[in-house]
Amino acid sequence: MVRATGKYTLGLVQELGDFALFTARSFADVPKSRRLGRRVVRAFFEQGVRCLPVVMIVGMFTGLVLGLQGYYVLNKFGSEGLLGTLVSLSLVREMGPVLAALMLVGQAGSALAAEIGIQRNSEQIAALEMMGVSSHGYLVAPRLIAALIVFPMQAAIFVSVGLWGGSLSGSLLLGLEPGIYWSAVERAVQSNDVIECFVKATTFGLLTTGLCAYYGFNAHRSPSATGARAVSAATTHAVVLSSIMVLAADYVITSFLVRT
Amino acid sequence: MSAPHDGLLLEVEGLRKRFGENVVLDGTSLRVKRGSLVTVLGRSGSGKSVFLKCLGGVVRPDEGTIRFDGREQRPEDRAARADFRSRCSFLFQGNALFDSLTALENVALPLEQTTDLKDREIRERSLEALKQLELEKHQDRYPGQLSGGMQKRLALARAIVTRPELVLFDEPTAGLDPLRRNAVFAMIATYQRQFHFTALVVTHDVPEALAASDHVALLDNGKMCFEGTPQDFAASENSVVRGFRDSASVLGTMLAEIRRGEAPSTDES
């Protein structure tokens, strides 16, 4: 039991170190990668434009539900006027960055892990290395750079759409005065909340994109599967672990940035 | 470019590689003359591809020395590795083309990433390579939209666009029918002469290799058990060479034994 726990812990620490080196090397190889801008734009398109509809749809429904649930709870205490506060702080501090990141992991992250895994399987990564091209700089760095920009943007869009969703259910459906809702939003959200939102989104972007690229990149090292199954296993592992990491990192960041 | 080193471009001495308990290369040695077309023959799973990947730096050997143009290739000597990579190309068995890039982008990739050429020059050189391989009409197509033969030519166009001195071919005819095998070997021989590169091919297609090569080596049990000209190979009495060379007649004997109701005498050695 002790031996198994120790072995597992050592494996975990080794993998964490490996992941940290992988991410560091990807950034370190940025200067070696030529014509990086084009690939950053492409990654920006994949993570940003392609994922925008799903982020907006989920943002809208999250805002609608928050508006409904919040209204009925606050109504019991005669505090419907605080609906804007509840919806905005929930979205800005927690739900915006977390849910936007989870949506991005589900769409762009899984695609990234699968794409790099297939490139590993079909020797495209070996071909790059053989050409003297840094595979980290060519394949991973543009995605990481794009993630640092896209994740905060998607979180901001999620929050904005969510606020409109909250306003829709609170004002249009349940009859709360829109001015009351929006003035509560304005009073509640402080610059610290926005900073927290962006810090979280940036961290999630770096973590999840790095993890998805890492698992795709190392798909050939899977001990239990080869070929297409290894890519499938790597993709599943990447998405599951990224989702867990989003929530774990959210807790850690919140505990550091917690305020009254 | 440095001066020729005794006419040898590549020297491999005592290369060893094992994966766990499986010893794949057990002191493999080979010498490749500049401007020649050398073929390494061997059964499937004999370690030919691992040998080639060790040369290409894709797989790190456990022991042994590799000298390219007289300069030893040590993993820690980054300058030597960079020099080797800038003068060598690798054609993978599965072509390793980037399926998200067009034919033109695939060919331009090594130039874009490893040279300081301007965009216009890169495009011109890539188009020239595509034209030489008769693929200029397909420049905007993705690899998945090309036939197997076209993909092979596209991979060769990408390999030669940097004007390498050495091109390593990993099983270029794997999975092809006899006519296409001939065509691929003819293509390699033609372009090797046209572009004056040294070609090192690993394959198990004996007739095509003998017809196209200047020098033949046979890899068996992790060692080169034969090296010589195609004529030497044809005349060799080495049992492994004979087994390889006379595979058609061996099959005939086996089939005759099966038809007679006898158990076929297979020689795996």
Side-chain angles (χ1 to χ4, degrees):
Chain A
M1 176 72 179
V2 174
R3 183 174 287 183
T5 311
K7 196 177 170 188
Y8 178 78
T9 311
L10 279 176
L12 193 70
V13 170
Q14 191 180 0
E15 192 149 357
L16 271 174
D18 209 24
F19 168 65
L21 284 175
F22 173 84
T23 311
R25 188 175 165 192
S26 302
F27 280 114
D29 281 359
V30 164
K32 289 186 197 166
S33 186
R34 301 175 195 211
R35 294 168 172 84
L36 185 68
R38 290 179 199 169
R39 294 196 308 285
V40 173
V41 170
R42 195 185 149 203
F44 193 90
F45 177 77
E46 283 162 3
Q47 295 173 6
V49 179
R50 284 205 172 143
C51 297
L52 192 60
V54 72
V55 167
M56 290 179 73
I57 290 166
V58 175
M60 174 57 75
F61 281 108
T62 306
L64 282 168
V65 170
L66 271 176
L68 272 179
Q69 293 279 16
Y71 184 87
Y72 288 125
V73 172
L74 292 170
N75 184 252
K76 287 183 184 169
F77 307 100
S79 308
E80 309 89 50
L82 293 174
L83 184 67
T85 309
L86 181 122
V87 172
S88 61
L89 290 183
S90 306
L91 283 171
V92 174
R93 286 183 183 179
E94 292 297 334
M95 302 189 89
V98 169
L99 289 180
L102 291 177
M103 292 306 109
L104 285 164
V105 167
Q107 191 162 339
S110 57
L112 169 62
E115 187 182 339
I116 295 185
I118 289 167
Q119 286 176 328
R120 169 64 79 189
N121 255 358
S122 57
E123 295 187 309
Q124 292 173 37
I125 292 178
L128 276 177
E129 284 162 6
M130 188 54 226
M131 285 176 210
V133 179
S134 159
S135 48
H136 291 74
Y138 185 82
L139 295 172
V140 186
R143 267 73 176 236
L144 287 173
I145 293 169
L148 294 177
I149 307 162
V150 169
F151 274 66
M153 281 179 68
Q154 295 281 33
I157 291 166
F158 188 100
V159 169
S160 308
V161 176
L163 286 174
W164 279 103
S167 164
L168 255 176
S169 56
S171 307
L172 207 72
L173 304 176
L174 300 167
L176 182 73
E177 184 62 41
I180 294 173
Y181 175 85
W182 287 109
S183 65
V185 169
E186 198 186 338
R187 277 198 312 276
V189 180
Q190 303 296 313
S191 58
N192 280 346
D193 301 313
V194 179
I195 290 169
E196 183 178 336
C197 175
F198 286 149
V199 166
K200 283 182 175 178
T202 311
T203 312
F204 299 159
L206 193 65
L207 261 179
T208 59
T209 308
L211 275 170
C212 290
Y214 174 76
Y215 280 106
F217 205 86
N218 293 306
H220 63 306
R221 279 162 51 177
S222 169
S224 55
T226 55
R229 288 193 70 182
V231 176
S232 153
T235 307
T236 308
H237 209 130
V239 171
V240 170
L241 200 67
S242 296
S243 305
I244 294 170
M245 287 305 286
V246 165
L247 298 171
D250 181 47
Y251 175 76
V252 173
I253 297 169
T254 305
S255 43
F256 275 108
L257 299 177
V258 77
R259 76 196 73 75
T260 54
Chain B
M1 196 190 303
S2 49
H5 180 78
D6 299 334
L8 290 175
L9 185 64
L10 188 70
E11 296 164 82
V12 186
E13 291 290 337
L15 215 59
R16 290 178 199 279
K17 180 69 191 173
R18 63 160 63 207
F19 295 99
E21 292 300 307
N22 183 21
V23 178
V24 179
L25 301 176
D26 189 15
T28 316
S29 301
L30 182 71
R31 290 174 165 218
V32 178
K33 276 187 184 172
R34 191 182 295 275
S36 60
L37 197 164
V38 177
T39 302
V40 176
L41 292 163
R43 289 180 299 184
S44 297
S46 62
K48 304 184 298 293
S49 292
V50 173
F51 175 66
L52 210 62
K53 283 174 181 170
C54 284
L55 301 186
V58 179
V59 171
R60 185 179 285 198
D62 300 329
E63 278 179 52
T65 55
I66 299 166
R67 279 192 203 86
F68 178 70
D69 206 8
R71 190 173 181 182
E72 191 173 336
Q73 301 291 309
R74 292 197 190 97
E76 65 275 12
D77 189 349
R78 289 188 179 183
R81 297 299 306 164
D83 174 59
F84 174 72
R85 283 181 168 161
S86 68
R87 295 164 64 189
C88 172
S89 283
F90 198 111
L91 204 132
F92 285 82
Q93 188 174 346
N95 300 322
L97 293 164
F98 282 81
D99 37 26
S100 55
L101 302 180
T102 63
L104 182 63
E105 288 167 341
N106 262 289
V107 177
L109 180 68
L111 294 176
E112 277 182 359
Q113 291 299 314
T114 61
T115 69
D116 292 321
L117 295 174
K118 291 184 176 158
D119 284 358
R120 215 183 85 188
E121 215 172 331
I122 289 173
R123 188 179 161 79
E124 279 171 8
R125 270 179 67 174
S126 307
L127 281 171
E128 187 193 328
L130 283 174
K131 198 174 171 186
Q132 281 160 339
L133 274 295
E134 296 158 40
L135 285 168
E136 72 272 25
K137 286 180 190 163
H138 307 287
Q139 58 173 293
D140 294 324
R141 289 199 183 178
Y142 289 92
Q145 297 170 312
L146 301 174
S147 69
M150 284 177 180
Q151 288 184 17
K152 196 63 79 186
R153 277 188 279 149
L154 180 57
L156 184 58
R158 189 177 69 180
I160 62 168
V161 76
T162 52
R163 296 169 187 166
E165 290 169 56
L166 173 68
V167 182
L168 307 174
F169 294 86
D170 185 9
E171 305 254 16
T173 53
L176 298 181
D177 61 62
L179 288 177
R180 284 190 194 278
R181 286 207 299 267
N182 287 343
V184 168
F185 265 99
M187 179 184 82
I188 292 170
T190 305
Y191 292 120
Q192 188 255 338
R193 279 159 186 79
Q194 188 178 337
F195 299 111
H196 311 293
F197 58 77
T198 305
L200 178 58
V201 184
V202 300
T203 184
H204 45 60
D205 296 325
V206 180
E208 293 85 353
L210 293 183
S213 310
D214 301 313
H215 193 82
V216 179
L218 181 62
L219 184 62
D220 188 61
N221 286 328
K223 290 189 172 84
M224 292 298 180
C225 66
F226 171 86
E227 268 193 75
T229 62
Q231 293 75 27
D232 295 336
F233 189 88
S236 174
E237 287 302 311
N238 180 313
S239 60
V240 186
V241 172
R242 272 172 43 210
F244 227 82
R245 189 183 56 207
D246 306 332
S247 53
S249 58
V250 170
L251 175 65
T253 310
M254 283 168 65
L255 289 173
E257 285 170 352
I258 290 167
R259 284 187 195 113
R260 284 200 303 271
E262 298 167 10
S265 52
T266 53
D267 182 10
E268 277 291 313
S269 57

